[in-house]
Amino acid sequence: MLAKELAGLLDMSEATISEIENNKRSVKAYEIAEIADALGISAIALFDPNSFSSSIPVFARTGGASTSTEKVQRVVRWYADFKEILDPHIQRDLELFNARPRVEIGEDFLKQSKDLAAWCNEKLEGWRTSDDKFMALKFEIEQKFGFDIVLIDAGLEEILGASLTSAEFPLIFINSSILKQRALFTLAHELGHMLSVTDSPLILDYKLKDENNVEKFANAFAAEFLMPESLVKEAYERHQFAGQFLEELLKTCGVSWQSLIYRLHNLRLINSKVRSVLLEIGALGYQAYVLDKNKLEVDLLPYEVPLKAAPGSILAEAAKRAFIAGDLGVNPTLSMSGFTEEQLASLYPPPGATSTEALDVDLEEFKNMGVTTEVVEAPSLTDENRVYA
Amino acid sequence: MAQPVIYDTCLLSHVAEIGYLHILDFLYKDRPEPRWTPAVKREVTKGAAIHVFCKQILALTWLGEPQEPQDTNAVLHLRNQLSSQDDPQTANMGEAESIILAREVNGSFMTNDFGAYYRAGEKQYLAPNRVFSACNALNEAREYGKLSPIEVEEAHNLIRAKRRMICDCRLKLP
């Protein structure tokens, strides 16, 4: 961005920007924040080149970024700014993640993605039997792989998800405004990135198109992980190509009609003509066709409870611990933990109480989180204890 | 020796909005500067385009020249601590600068912002005995006979009618 363009975004002259750039004028803290907001980067990254925030890619505003993309970028940099504060409070188990089969994405990405997906299906088996497959998979990935999945309400625009593939601070972001079946595929796609990419810290995903081998790999991984060839073919053996076949796969895999039809075509169970027709008529059209032709009732459009914004479970617990230790403020704790103000207030001791008493309110929950309830001196806010300086 | 009292935008605007700025002048005019920071002045200046009371704040001569804290890194990190995920990076900059400045000049901090009030009260910043709100100033003015108990109650009600108010005094208000 040129100094002239930046000056246009700020209440500053081009000459002032130029003086700042050339170290001829000191910069005030609010000016750093204004410049950082205008550029779409972290103020801490701008001020401190040694911070973790500055180690992830600069999200410089280029003029083409949409509101939803900017929102995801803002949340990514917001989390990154707290990395150093949260670090001592984060309890994540990366043993399984570190034991993953190593992948060098090349021309044989199909075979590699299939092998990695098979390994993942061995490790992540609980989510498939859940009624809410997305949330079950989210929780299982967080618990077993040790990285957080944050749901952001980024609106019905093009961004679907993002991966911060840093081994120090692994995070997946999913746009909670998209349909749940699409979100599940996006989550599996981002999982593919997290397990295979090491040299590109941040990946933003828009339409999950096969733009390069990294994206092709992640798509192939997601398809094989959610709809394993063996599972699809077993169902085919049982039903042949009947209504129940599609119903069973949609329910078992939790994917969208579109993903399933593409998968069947890629597995050569349907030809391209059938694929086109099925995509054209959609699940509703096929459901009506089956009922009309075979008098067979199938449910291809199960109702799904929409997703909503939600924090990652590991960081949420770390935020609560950091809050209790006095390392994290109220507002970031609320954003990161998903707590309400009332729930958070219950962690703050009432006047005259020790924090242990306050913690008793929610002790069971904190026992489950593994938080120790050490006694901290309660801040007293009574008039008698105030000393005017 | 008396120590400086640093005001943030929230405190100044709440007190200005109900027409009680003269109380701050009466109570703390003999305390040394600084009394505010560049970010607070910036926020009040922006507010002056919309609110008359912000223009009244800018017209106060006793506020003196804003002073910038030395530790910019601490300001930026504290600002993050006061902000939520959806805030722009300029949000809460005035509070963050005021708290760090108060710490650097060994002064007190006066705010009506809940987050800043509680954060500033932590030991690593100022500790509770160096953080005050409009409620404290009003009660101090009453102790000096500058305001009657009824006026203090009225001022509480005026602030509460417009904003949230931090209040740890013994007034039993509805």
Side-chain angles (χ1 to χ4, degrees):
Chain A
M1 185 181 284
L2 297 170
K4 189 178 176 182
E5 292 172 304
L6 186 56
L9 291 170
L10 302 167
D11 190 15
M12 280 184 200
S13 67
E14 199 179 332
T16 306
I17 302 276
S18 180
E19 282 175 10
I20 292 170
E21 277 182 327
N22 295 310
N23 274 336
K24 289 181 180 169
R25 177 188 180 284
S26 66
V27 197
K28 294 179 172 59
Y30 74 78
E31 290 173 333
I32 294 171
E34 285 177 355
I35 292 169
D37 267 341
L39 293 173
I41 61 173
S42 153
I44 288 181
L46 192 61
F47 183 76
D48 180 6
N50 297 318
S51 63
F52 174 73
S53 296
S54 69
S55 74
I56 58 175
V58 172
F59 312 118
R61 189 167 284 165
T62 56
S66 69
T67 310
S68 68
T69 301
E70 282 181 13
K71 177 152 189 180
V72 172
Q73 290 173 338
R74 189 169 69 237
V75 175
V76 172
R77 75 172 182 241
W78 186 82
Y79 271 96
D81 277 350
F82 284 102
K83 191 245 177 203
E84 277 106 356
I85 290 166
L86 291 171
D87 262 351
H89 304 284
I90 293 175
Q91 292 175 355
R92 61 169 104 244
D93 183 357
L94 292 169
E95 193 179 336
L96 187 60
F97 175 67
N98 290 330
R100 71 195 183 281
R102 300 298 154 148
V103 173
E104 293 278 336
I105 298 175
E107 290 309 311
D108 61 341
F109 66 86
L110 271 179
K111 184 184 179 311
Q112 288 183 314
S113 65
K114 194 172 177 179
D115 292 345
L116 188 63
W119 179 80
C120 271
N121 267 319
E122 271 177 33
K123 308 299 176 194
L124 305 169
E125 74 288 342
W127 66 277
R128 205 177 281 279
T129 54
S130 169
D131 289 338
D132 189 343
K133 291 186 171 45
F134 180 90
M135 292 308 286
L137 180 59
K138 171 186 184 302
F139 188 70
E140 203 172 351
I141 290 172
E142 288 174 329
Q143 296 306 305
K144 292 187 175 167
F145 284 120
F147 39 79
D148 278 277
I149 296 153
V150 179
L151 302 183
I152 306 169
D153 181 1
L156 289 168
E157 291 184 61
E158 77 271 32
I159 194 151
L160 301 175
S163 294
L164 187 59
T165 63
S166 157
E168 285 182 81
F169 203 58
L171 273 166
I172 287 176
F173 298 90
I174 302 290
N175 183 352
S176 64
S177 300
I178 59 179
L179 287 175
K180 202 175 242 180
Q181 291 94 338
R182 198 168 195 202
L184 184 69
F185 194 90
T186 305
L187 176 56
H189 178 99
E190 301 304 331
L191 178 62
H193 282 322
M194 295 296 283
L195 296 174
S196 62
V197 176
T198 52
D199 56 351
S200 175
L202 184 79
I203 298 170
L204 294 172
D205 281 307
Y206 295 92
K207 297 209 166 86
L208 307 186
K209 282 187 176 171
D210 285 348
E211 289 166 340
N212 51 48
N213 279 351
V214 170
E215 292 305 321
K216 284 178 188 170
F217 176 91
N219 277 338
F221 169 85
E224 178 63 29
F225 173 68
L226 296 173
M227 300 167 277
E229 184 174 353
S230 56
L231 188 147
V232 174
K233 289 191 169 168
E234 276 169 29
Y236 187 78
E237 297 282 316
R238 276 199 303 280
H239 302 293
Q240 293 301 304
F241 197 82
Q244 298 101 320
F245 167 62
L246 297 175
E247 183 183 22
E248 181 181 314
L249 285 179
L250 287 172
K251 284 185 178 159
T252 312
C253 303
V255 294
S256 68
W257 174 260
Q258 201 179 27
S259 298
L260 180 60
I261 300 306
Y262 275 114
R263 181 67 173 152
L264 296 178
H265 178 244
N266 288 338
L267 293 175
R268 300 182 190 281
L269 293 174
I270 56 174
N271 62 29
S272 55
K273 191 176 174 185
V274 173
R275 182 193 69 178
S276 300
V277 170
L278 290 173
L279 289 174
E280 177 80 24
I281 64 173
L284 192 61
Y286 186 74
Q287 193 166 293
Y289 165 77
V290 168
L291 180 63
D292 185 49
K293 192 177 179 201
N294 304 327
K295 306 294 177 204
L296 181 67
E297 283 198 38
V298 290
D299 181 13
L300 301 177
L301 294 163
Y303 173 73
E304 292 277 9
V305 179
L307 290 171
K308 56 183 181 181
S313 62
I314 298 166
L315 287 179
E317 289 178 13
K320 289 174 204 169
R321 280 190 284 269
F323 175 76
I324 293 167
D327 293 344
L328 194 64
V330 172
N331 285 334
T333 308
L334 287 172
S335 294
M336 234 177 267
S337 66
F339 261 29
T340 62
E341 281 189 35
E342 290 73 24
Q343 286 171 315
L344 203 60
S346 74
L347 301 181
Y348 235 104
T354 64
S355 63
T356 308
E357 286 171 276
L359 281 172
D360 284 342
V361 176
D362 224 355
L363 197 57
E364 279 311 307
E365 183 182 346
F366 278 82
K367 274 181 187 164
N368 293 337
M369 284 164 40
V371 174
T372 56
T373 54
E374 80 181 279
V375 178
V376 184
E377 190 186 333
S380 170
L381 302 173
T382 55
D383 272 339
E384 303 85 76
N385 293 334
R386 285 183 173 277
V387 180
Y388 283 74
Chain B
M1 184 187 159
Q3 300 296 330
V5 178
I6 315 295
Y7 311 101
D8 73 353
T9 312
C10 187
L11 185 285
L12 289 170
S13 58
H14 284 195
V15 177
E17 202 172 0
I18 62 166
Y20 276 65
L21 278 172
H22 62 284
I23 294 301
L24 300 181
D25 183 20
F26 170 78
L27 291 171
Y28 310 117
K29 68 182 174 192
D30 293 332
R31 287 174 180 265
E33 291 184 20
R35 298 195 171 95
W36 61 341
T37 72
V40 172
K41 185 173 182 181
R42 171 84 164 171
E43 289 165 6
V44 176
T45 305
K46 281 190 170 180
I50 307 164
H51 303 295
V52 175
F53 61 81
C54 287
K55 288 181 184 165
Q56 292 166 352
I57 297 168
L58 292 174
L60 296 173
T61 52
W62 59 265
L63 272 176
E65 280 300 308
Q67 183 172 319
E68 196 182 356
Q70 302 286 314
D71 192 347
T72 306
N73 195 37
V75 171
L76 295 176
H77 280 279
L78 176 56
R79 192 217 69 84
N80 276 355
Q81 292 278 15
L82 298 172
S83 307
S84 59
Q85 195 171 282
D86 295 325
D87 287 332
Q89 295 185 89
T90 47
N92 299 303
M93 190 58 84
E95 285 89 355
E97 270 196 357
S98 302
I99 295 168
I100 298 300
L101 179 64
R103 185 171 71 175
E104 288 178 358
V105 300
N106 198 27
S108 295
F109 170 53
M110 193 167 269
T111 182
N112 256 19
D113 178 283
F114 275 76
Y117 184 89
Y118 288 107
R119 196 72 193 160
E122 289 172 2
K123 282 178 186 167
Q124 73 223 61
Y125 295 108
L126 301 172
N129 63 356
R130 283 165 61 193
V131 186
F132 304 98
S133 69
C135 169
N136 300 119
L138 292 168
N139 281 309
E140 199 175 353
R142 185 193 58 198
E143 285 167 21
Y144 281 105
K146 186 72 177 173
L147 293 179
S148 69
I150 291 171
E151 285 174 313
V152 172
E153 187 173 337
E154 187 184 84
H156 272 75
N157 283 333
L158 283 169
I159 293 179
R160 285 182 171 186
K162 293 174 187 294
R163 319 272 183 172
R164 295 171 75 190
M165 183 173 184
I166 299 168
C167 182
D168 58 357
C169 74
R170 301 287 187 268
L171 280 177
K172 299 293 182 193
L173 298 172

